[in-house]
Amino acid sequence: MKSYQAYLFDFDYTLADSSKGIVMCYRNVLERHGFHQVDDLSIKRTIGKTLVDSFSIMTGITDADTLETFRKEYVKEADQHMTANTVLFPETEEVLRALKANGTRIGIISTKYRYRIMELMGKIFPEGFIDIIVGGEDVKEAKPSPEGLLQAASRLNCPKEQILYLGDSTVDAETAQNAGVDFAGILHGMTTREELAAYPHTAIFPDLLPLIKNRKYIRFFSDK
């Protein structure tokens, strides 16, 4: 696996496990409106999609005004509960610090709001450590639109062929494909290896450690 000038990451289920907070926030909104039948697994399967799309999938509702009401209620719940119920995966800090020490650029491209990502990351890393964060409020079209990735490439002044995007979902894989950048799948989340392998990829990893350790390990998990 080649080295890249920039490593850009999805956030939820790639760098961090926020599933506890996400389930709590969705559950509070859903049950407030009478949707008691949605189980935790169904909620987790929507992680990575927009709030509106997720609520539509879970409830069957398509009315834009209703879905927007749910979205606003979720944001209020998340302001209260999300950061306290989000933790980085055990290897995340080590990997990001090693990549940064090696002179590479690192960034986060997520449907999650940028301010919420910064709230957590700011407790762990110094200001400016993450070279770029593009959140849901920074784009007109959410993933799998390539807008966020292309915005990051432009702001970093980095050629697309020198960017690796890492994510846990088929939405992330499709985003990389649409942007014309390389993709590596991470098996932290609910998406299977087989689902990720259906999209162009340089590798599929069980976690982030292969980025910095044991090149034989990388080749084992790569399909190339």
Side-chain angles (χ1 to χ4, degrees):
M1 184 177 183
K2 75 175 188 180
S3 296
Y4 295 84
Q5 291 181 14
Y7 292 80
L8 305 179
F9 299 85
D10 172 53
F11 187 73
D12 291 322
Y13 271 154
T14 299
L15 295 177
D17 184 359
S18 53
S19 58
K20 180 179 179 181
I22 289 172
V23 168
M24 182 184 301
C25 294
Y26 275 122
R27 173 81 52 219
N28 289 349
V29 176
L30 289 167
E31 295 197 352
R32 186 179 302 131
H33 293 276
F35 293 95
H36 306 291
Q37 77 281 8
V38 183
D39 60 27
D40 289 0
L41 182 60
S42 296
I43 295 174
K44 290 178 180 179
R45 289 288 293 178
T46 70
I47 291 177
K49 301 182 184 299
T50 66
L51 294 175
V52 166
D53 286 346
S54 296
F55 276 116
S56 183
I57 290 168
M58 289 186 284
T59 66
I61 291 173
T62 57
D63 178 71
D65 290 340
T66 302
L67 292 172
E68 177 62 11
T69 296
F70 289 0
R71 185 196 68 81
K72 289 180 178 178
E73 290 185 17
Y74 178 99
V75 171
K76 290 182 179 179
E77 294 285 343
D79 286 342
Q80 182 177 354
H81 301 297
M82 188 62 66
T83 299
N85 290 283
T86 301
V87 294
L88 295 184
F89 286 111
E91 79 279 10
T92 295
E93 183 175 357
E94 176 188 0
V95 170
L96 294 186
R97 289 190 183 278
L99 290 173
K100 190 76 172 182
N102 199 41
T104 58
R105 314 291 293 279
I106 56 175
I108 299 170
I109 317 297
S110 176
T111 55
K112 203 180 200 77
Y113 292 143
R114 171 173 37 85
Y115 74 87
R116 205 177 308 288
I117 295 171
M118 293 177 66
E119 184 178 18
L120 176 67
M121 300 302 271
K123 295 179 178 180
I124 301 165
F125 300 101
E127 184 176 357
F129 180 88
I130 308 294
D131 293 293
I132 187 168
I133 299 176
V134 179
E137 71 269 50
D138 299 315
V139 295
K140 294 179 180 179
E141 294 186 40
K143 298 185 298 183
S145 164
E147 182 183 351
L149 269 180
L150 295 178
Q151 182 186 140
S154 176
R155 289 168 59 186
L156 292 173
N157 193 27
C158 185
K160 291 194 292 184
E161 61 270 18
Q162 286 297 322
I163 293 174
L164 180 66
Y165 185 54
L166 299 102
D168 69 283
S169 72
T170 56
V171 171
D172 297 321
E174 189 176 351
T175 301
Q177 184 178 22
N178 291 340
V181 305
D182 285 350
F183 173 74
I186 304 296
L187 297 176
H188 278 152
M190 303 300 295
T191 307
T192 66
R193 177 181 175 82
E194 290 72 26
E195 288 172 319
L196 291 174
Y199 292 83
H201 58 280
T202 61
I204 299 175
F205 300 142
D207 54 42
L208 299 170
L209 282 174
L211 290 176
I212 62 171
K213 291 183 176 180
N214 196 340
R215 293 296 166 177
K216 290 182 180 179
Y217 191 63
I218 288 180
R219 287 197 295 272
F220 178 80
F221 280 94
S222 173
D223 286 344
K224 290 190 175 181

